Amino acid sequence: MNGGTSTGEKPKDVSLSCIHRIYKASRPGDVRTVRRLQKLLTKSWFAKCLAVRRVTQDNQGRKTAGVDGIKSLTPKQRLVLVNQLKIGSKAKPTRRVWIPKPGQDEKRPLGIPTMYDRALQGLVKMALEPEWEARFEPSSYGFRPGRSCQDAIEAIFIAINQKAKYVLDADIAKCFDNINHQRLIEKLNTYPTLRRQIRAWLKAGVMDGKELFPTSEGTPQGGVISPLLANIALHGMEYRIKELAKDFDMREKSGRGMARSRSHIQSTKTADVRSACQIEENP
């Protein structure tokens, strides 16, 4: 899985070249080229090798099993998995795992896909991510490649170091659990084969113990592609918040005008934001 091509190129170099081309084509909105390159990438043996390596060797959760109980693959098993990867319309349920929230008594649910689904999600993510990275808003930092909380801190400092400004502090209430499947699929607007596979993952259900529960909304926390799908669902929120801010009364330096405007937030939320997740303000 670490070998090169007949021309001496490494598999990672071949995959990165295609990823860069998808990004460049997505910037001007060349949808036809983006779809062609995405199909090429998802069928690439080298891209499949890279997806399997990331899930079975590089990922911290590589030894966590899904409902099939498979984990810690041998080199031969990894090669078999590479040859099995194919985008279709089926997916196995995720396995429910409860982990404690830091500093709290309650626990957070994770949905662990099977090793096969994780590798396939990694392959699909490899194709979708560059398309959406070219479109995402510049002030988005969560679950973005090459970005971290330090970058967000720097952006905040640059924005406020010259002049005091108001800050809207809001929480997304159970964002992963409340994503609307139909609106997300419509927003993805991808080609049919990929659309069917993503819908299968969203509707696969979750096994909690020996009981299977349906998933009518949300994406499983623990899935490789879930953070990207959440970012896609939330794309456009920056624009909506800027539109919302125009209605705030910012004349009083004490912020009382802003406080009176808080009740206005819920009534002016757009359908896009409402269907993607629920927004709750911090007290």
Side-chain angles (χ1 to χ4, degrees), residues 10-212:
K10 294 181 180 179
K12 190 173 182 179
D13 295 335
V14 175
S15 301
L16 283 176
S17 174
C18 196
I19 288 171
H20 292 157
R21 289 170 65 191
I22 293 173
Y23 180 87
K24 290 180 179 178
S26 181
R27 292 285 288 181
D30 187 356
V31 178
R32 179 176 294 183
T33 302
V34 169
R35 298 290 177 259
R36 178 175 59 82
L37 291 171
Q38 286 175 332
K39 292 175 183 178
L40 182 67
L41 184 63
T42 53
K43 293 177 181 178
S44 167
W45 189 80
F46 302 117
K48 291 178 182 180
C49 285
L50 190 57
V52 169
R53 173 170 179 164
R54 286 175 176 172
V55 168
T56 62
Q57 294 176 267
D58 299 340
N59 195 290
Q60 291 182 351
R62 61 187 178 274
K63 294 184 179 180
T64 306
V67 293
D68 57 358
I70 297 175
K71 58 181 180 179
S72 301
L73 301 182
T74 65
K76 190 173 182 179
Q77 289 173 324
R78 291 197 292 267
L79 189 58
V80 171
L81 180 58
V82 168
N83 294 323
Q84 289 176 341
L85 288 185
K86 184 179 180 181
I87 295 175
S89 58
K90 295 182 179 180
K92 290 186 177 180
T94 59
R95 183 172 70 91
R96 173 72 77 222
V97 176
W98 296 89
I99 62 171
K101 287 187 176 182
Q104 298 183 30
D105 295 331
E106 60 179 311
K107 293 185 177 181
R108 181 163 60 97
L110 293 183
I112 309 299
T114 62
M115 191 68 74
Y116 175 86
D117 280 328
R118 270 181 277 174
L120 193 58
Q121 285 182 16
L123 181 65
V124 171
K125 180 184 177 184
M126 207 181 299
L128 281 179
E129 195 167 58
E131 175 193 359
W132 282 91
E133 278 297 317
R135 300 163 60 182
F136 280 148
E137 293 155 327
S139 297
S140 170
Y141 291 91
F143 303 110
R144 297 280 301 277
R147 294 192 172 200
S148 66
C149 59
Q150 283 78 15
D151 296 311
I153 292 170
E154 181 183 6
I156 293 171
F157 175 77
I158 293 173
I160 67 174
N161 69 334
Q162 299 293 331
K163 181 182 178 181
K165 295 184 179 180
Y166 288 105
V167 175
L168 174 63
D169 184 8
D171 285 336
I172 310 262
K174 298 182 180 179
C175 177
F176 282 89
D177 298 330
N178 292 327
I179 291 175
N180 185 298
H181 289 173
Q182 187 57 38
R183 292 300 299 270
L184 175 60
I185 294 295
E186 291 173 0
K187 202 169 186 179
L188 274 169
N189 192 29
T190 188
Y191 59 96
T193 305
L194 209 55
R195 185 168 61 245
R196 285 193 293 269
Q197 182 62 72
I198 292 173
R199 182 182 282 111
W201 284 325
L202 294 174
K203 301 292 186 182
V206 57
M207 287 288 296
D208 194 348
K210 295 183 179 180
E211 192 170 355
L212 176 64

Side-chain angles (χ1 to χ4, degrees), residues 171-175 178 269 273-274 276-280:
D171 285 336
I172 310 262
K174 298 182 180 179
C175 177
N178 292 327
K269 284 191 298 183
V273 175
R274 261 199 316 269
C277 60
Q278 296 175 356
I279 296 182
E280 291 183 354

